[in-house]
Amino acid sequence: MIDLLPLMLERVGILVIIAFLLSQMKSFRQIVHNEHRTVGKLLLIAVFGLFGVISNYTGIEIHHSNVVSQSWLMEVSPDNAIANTRIMGVGIGGLLGGPLVGLGVGLLAGIHRYSLGGFTAAACALSSVLAGLAAGYMGNWYRKRGLIPPWFAAVVGMIMEAVQMAILLIAAKPHEAARELVQTIGLPMILINGFGTLMFMFIIRSILREKERLSALQTHKAFHIADQTLPFFRQGLNPESCREAAHILLKLTEADAVAITDKQQVLAHVGVASDHHIPGQALATALTKSVLEKGEIMVAKSAEDIQCFRESCVLRAAVVLPLQVRDKTVGTLKLYFQNSGRLSRVEEELAEGLAKLFSTQLELAEAELQSTLLKDARIKALQAQVHPHFLFNAINTISALCRTDSEKARKLLLELGIFFRSNLQGAQQLLITLEKELEYVQAYLHLEQARFPDKYQVEFDIEQGLEKLPIPPFILQPLVENAIRHGFSHVRSRGQIRISAYSGDDGLHLVVEDNGKGIARETLDALGKETVASSEGTGTALYNIRERLQGIYRHAAHFAVESIEGKGTTLYIILPLQRKEASDDHTESIYSR
């Protein structure tokens, strides 16, 4: 019995070496990974059935208690038996694939063992089938908890071998020969099969762990890319955002070129073949057009599959994915490769995951745009409303001055025209120049000061060079109006208003400060964050300003109110510095849509 241990260990070593070599093959790893699919199950049956057959051929022929043959077995004498590692392959196949795989492997290995002959042939064949079924059910039971650990597989392997010994004692004839055989090979086979199963499962577990690691790395990579490209895809599909996103994808993937299209044209192409895949031109490949039509992922493994219009194109493989918004294809994401061998399944899965993430980002961008447009429309409707009391008072003032000071009335009428023109222009534009906003403020002040000549004094402190910077319309005038109507109401002393604009490290600073009566602390906390009750007006001016800044600049703008009762109020607005001049004729945004 002791002499049998090294011989059995040698056989286990052969199978473990074969398993290790197979584990380095991509096809074998795919078989293990696809164990739950029908094709995967059939392949598992074939692979582990082959292990069972090899175990039969490499078995040790036993006559009574003596080793008869250690060579490759093609036939076993009727009075002899085999000590082998067949149950190891059968058990592992069942553990990995479940009862059906276990049954298939057991049948293959068992039928082959029966064909070799020997007085234990039928008993061994039966035990192989039962071991496969039992291992399959035990594997299914444990798999509910997670991956099958090697120690569990070793225990199952030893139990299955012990069951085989029991079947030999029951079914093999003559019984005396069976009992003598079990005494000789029982313990070595139980120990060696358990050890072999342990080693084999370490190899299988490393394959499964590798899949988990690759999946984790791939997921991390996908989310990293999505995080890097999020600021650009939030702007929608346009040449600028797509070009930046494509550069990021080229840097973080194995692709040789990356392209993004909408339904009509190439929006961005970076990497090789940029000489004829040019942004702004019509779609260059039939593959892209097919993806847009069908809305399905397509993979090309040759230049013929890509169908580029230029025969000398160096692109040899591609994965083209649809970008979809609300289940409608709006564009494509394309990863190109010069060598088709570099387009692995991992790259395909990564591209597929990225396409889904990018589609979600585009949906969010569209929803965000619709929300912004709705908010902008609502706010512009408010902007277009001139306070009726202000209009009534301005007309009355001009009417009275026509009799006493016609020249001043003429000037005020011009200021009223400027005020209305600015109001209409601001309602049609998202950004205007600081100069235009100050002109609007001055027109308003001239009309108000005509009514109350000595009630307050206004001082402007504007840094030179900032006049052409773009800012949202109607963000200074409401602050000045707020100071006049609320800060100086019921105040007898002469008021002071200071309007400042200067650049800082954190952006363009706009400040309106007054020495009015200030704001109560309980009201101050709510200003700008929600509408407040007001006896004069709607109580929404500051809230609307904050909402507009949020809608245009998101979190890049800052709005704050500071006030001390009896001393005055200061309102701060900080905007991102944009050196691009605002258009007088067109609506603009800091985000190109």
Side-chain angles (χ1 to χ4, degrees):
M1 181 173 67
I2 295 176
D3 295 338
L4 196 59
L5 280 172
L7 297 176
M8 292 292 296
L9 192 60
E10 180 183 311
R11 270 61 180 176
V12 167
I14 293 172
L15 293 180
V16 170
I17 290 171
I18 294 173
F20 176 77
L21 293 175
L22 287 174
S23 70
Q24 306 306 305
M25 297 171 59
K26 181 179 178 181
S27 56
F28 181 74
R29 293 198 298 269
Q30 288 177 340
I31 291 172
V32 175
H33 292 158
N34 297 327
E35 61 193 48
H36 298 297
R37 299 178 183 176
T38 301
V39 175
K41 289 182 181 293
L42 292 174
L43 291 173
L44 281 177
I45 291 173
V47 170
F48 288 99
L50 181 61
F51 273 106
V53 171
I54 292 173
S55 297
N56 289 332
Y57 279 133
T58 58
I60 302 165
E61 190 172 356
I62 306 291
H63 179 72
H64 296 297
S65 300
N66 301 315
V67 175
V68 176
S69 174
Q70 301 178 38
S71 61
W72 190 269
L73 296 176
M74 301 302 294
E75 186 178 2
V76 180
S77 299
D79 296 332
N80 295 346
I82 300 176
N84 61 20
T85 55
R86 180 183 64 257
I87 294 298
M88 186 175 80
V90 173
I92 293 173
L95 287 172
L96 291 178
L100 287 177
V101 172
L103 176 62
V105 175
L107 283 170
L108 284 178
I111 291 171
H112 181 261
R113 172 64 189 89
Y114 184 79
S115 69
L116 293 178
F119 78 95
T120 62
C124 287
L126 177 62
S127 66
S128 297
V129 175
L130 293 178
L133 279 171
Y137 282 113
M138 295 174 76
N140 278 358
W141 171 77
Y142 199 96
R143 212 186 335 253
K144 295 176 181 177
R145 306 182 183 183
L147 284 178
I148 297 174
W151 67 263
F152 180 79
V155 171
V156 171
M158 294 173 71
I159 292 173
M160 294 302 101
E161 193 60 58
V163 170
Q164 178 174 244
M165 294 299 111
I167 292 174
L168 289 176
L169 289 173
I170 296 170
K173 294 180 181 180
H175 294 301
E176 286 296 329
R179 186 162 45 249
E180 184 181 0
L181 177 67
V182 170
Q183 288 176 348
T184 302
I185 69 172
L187 186 59
M189 286 184 65
I190 290 172
L191 293 176
I192 293 301
N193 273 285
F195 175 75
T197 303
L198 181 71
M199 294 296 101
F200 207 117
M201 279 305 294
F202 272 125
I203 295 172
I204 298 296
R205 191 174 177 86
S206 70
I207 294 174
L208 297 175
R209 290 286 189 189
E210 179 189 20
K211 182 184 179 182
E212 289 182 352
R213 287 193 297 270
L214 287 175
S215 297
L217 288 172
Q218 187 173 316
T219 302
H220 173 76
K221 189 175 183 178
F223 279 116
H224 177 62
I225 293 173
D227 180 64
Q228 295 292 308
T229 56
L230 177 61
F232 305 107
F233 277 115
R234 281 183 66 178
Q235 301 173 33
L237 287 178
N238 62 71
E240 292 77 16
S241 65
C242 289
R243 182 175 61 251
E244 296 298 328
H247 277 294
I248 293 170
L249 284 167
L250 184 66
K251 179 180 178 182
L252 298 178
T253 65
E254 298 297 323
D256 296 310
V258 175
I260 301 173
T261 76
D262 58 17
K263 297 184 73 173
Q264 288 81 35
Q265 63 179 340
V266 179
L267 296 174
H269 182 103
V270 296
V272 297
S274 297
D275 57 330
H276 60 283
H277 291 267
I278 301 173
Q281 292 189 352
L283 302 176
T285 65
L287 183 64
T288 302
K289 297 174 183 177
S290 182
V291 171
L292 287 169
E293 289 175 5
K294 298 179 180 179
E296 299 174 353
I297 300 170
M298 291 191 177
V299 178
K301 293 288 188 176
S302 66
E304 291 74 19
D305 293 336
I306 296 175
Q307 301 179 51
C308 181
F309 69 90
R310 179 172 293 188
E311 293 183 2
S312 61
C313 183
V314 298
L315 302 175
R316 293 293 179 268
V319 55
V320 184
L321 307 108
L323 297 175
Q324 298 181 324
V325 176
R326 292 195 299 274
D327 298 325
K328 292 184 179 180
T329 303
V330 297
T332 63
L333 167 65
K334 302 187 284 186
L335 302 185
Y336 287 114
F337 300 83
Q338 289 181 281
N339 185 344
S340 59
R342 295 182 62 190
L343 178 52
S344 64
R345 180 59 188 163
V346 173
E347 289 298 316
E348 289 181 33
E349 291 178 354
L350 174 63
E352 185 176 349
L354 288 174
K356 291 178 180 177
L357 288 171
F358 294 159
S359 294
T360 301
Q361 290 177 354
L362 290 173
E363 285 191 7
L364 292 174
E366 181 168 322
E368 196 172 77
L369 174 60
Q370 295 301 323
S371 176
T372 300
L373 291 174
L374 181 62
K375 184 186 295 182
D376 190 52
R378 178 174 58 84
I379 292 172
K380 283 183 176 179
L382 290 172
Q383 292 170 352
Q385 297 176 4
V386 179
H387 197 285
H389 291 294
F390 170 78
L391 179 59
F392 179 77
N393 291 332
I395 292 175
N396 272 351
T397 301
I398 294 172
S399 176
L401 286 172
C402 284
R403 299 171 184 172
T404 59
D405 192 340
S406 59
E407 180 60 23
K408 188 173 183 180
R410 187 185 69 84
K411 290 180 179 179
L412 286 179
L413 197 58
L414 291 174
E415 295 291 351
L416 185 61
I418 293 172
F419 180 84
F420 273 106
R421 185 172 63 253
S422 299
N423 192 279
L424 291 173
Q425 288 178 344
Q428 296 171 356
Q429 295 176 233
L430 193 59
L431 295 177
I432 62 172
T433 61
L434 175 61
E435 183 179 44
K436 287 287 184 181
E437 178 69 6
L438 292 174
E439 183 180 289
Y440 181 56
V441 171
Q442 289 172 333
Y444 169 79
L445 287 171
H446 287 150
L447 292 167
E448 281 291 302
Q449 287 178 318
R451 293 179 59 218
F452 307 105
D454 299 317
K455 188 174 183 179
Y456 50 84
Q457 180 180 354
V458 181
E459 179 183 351
F460 287 88
D461 184 11
I462 310 301
E463 180 182 323
Q464 287 188 353
L466 302 182
E467 295 84 359
K468 298 299 181 181
L469 287 182
I471 67 170
F474 310 116
I475 60 171
L476 286 179
Q477 186 274 335
L479 301 184
V480 174
E481 183 178 353
N482 202 67
I484 293 173
R485 296 175 60 190
H486 301 287
F488 299 141
S489 63
H490 310 297
V491 175
R492 295 184 178 180
S493 60
R494 191 179 189 189
Q496 296 284 337
I497 299 176
R498 180 181 177 88
I499 302 170
S500 306
Y502 59 92
S503 59
D505 293 337
D506 51 350
L508 172 64
H509 291 243
L510 303 174
V511 184
V512 176
E513 48 191 321
D514 65 69
N515 63 344
K517 63 182 181 180
I519 303 170
R521 180 170 295 276
E522 58 271 16
T523 305
L524 183 64
D525 293 336
L527 277 180
K529 300 175 183 177
E530 58 186 65
T531 58
V532 295
S534 173
S535 58
E536 301 179 25
T538 62
T540 62
L542 300 186
Y543 175 75
N544 282 342
I545 290 174
R546 180 187 284 271
E547 285 290 289
R548 290 170 59 214
L549 294 178
Q550 174 66 21
I552 298 172
Y553 300 101
R554 296 180 176 89
H555 300 292
H558 179 69
F559 178 82
V561 182
E562 294 180 1
S563 184
I564 301 176
E565 285 192 83
K567 293 188 176 181
T569 301
T570 303
L571 298 104
Y572 300 91
I573 294 175
I574 303 177
L575 305 178
L577 269 175
Q578 303 170 68
R579 290 298 175 183
K580 180 181 177 181
E581 294 185 3
S583 169
D584 289 335
D585 301 315
H586 304 287
T587 299
E588 292 191 11
S589 169
I590 61 170
Y591 297 102
S592 296
R593 294 288 182 182

